[in-house]
Amino acid sequence: MTLQKRNNQKKGKSPSKYIRFTSVAFQMGATIWLGNLLGKWLDSKFDQDFLEPTVTLLSVFMAMYIVIAQVIKVSKEDD
């Protein structure tokens, strides 16, 4: 039995990389959508016009950070 097989048995079965990255797309979309909803709500609450695009843009950056962090995590697991 190889070392890699023993490590996989100890850790248990982890989901495929492809499944993980498919779920990342949904997570990214949900983050951006919720940021947009928050921006719309803030615009209506404070009677402003700039909060929706600002919060949406911040949520895009946050979603990209999450994706990059998960890619780095997966690449470290492969080493």
Side-chain angles (χ1 to χ4, degrees):
M1 186 177 286
T2 65
L3 181 61
Q4 185 178 11
K5 285 183 181 179
R6 277 189 261 157
N7 286 339
N8 285 341
Q9 286 177 349
K10 287 180 185 177
K11 293 180 188 176
K13 284 193 169 185
S14 63
S16 169
K17 284 187 269 186
Y18 303 110
I19 293 173
R20 290 170 99 182
F21 288 125
T22 302
S23 66
V24 166
F26 289 112
Q27 182 181 4
M28 189 174 183
T31 303
I32 295 168
W33 179 68
L34 289 172
N36 184 266
L37 285 179
L38 176 65
K40 285 182 183 180
W41 180 77
L42 289 171
D43 271 348
S44 66
K45 181 158 178 75
F46 296 112
D47 196 27
Q48 299 291 325
D49 291 336
F50 67 93
L51 292 172
E52 180 184 356
T54 304
V55 174
T56 303
L57 185 62
L58 288 174
S59 66
V60 168
F61 288 134
M62 187 169 58
M64 289 176 62
Y65 174 79
I66 291 168
V67 169
I68 291 169
Q70 289 180 354
V71 167
I72 291 172
K73 182 180 174 184
V74 168
S75 69
K76 285 184 179 180
E77 288 175 0
D78 287 344
D79 291 341

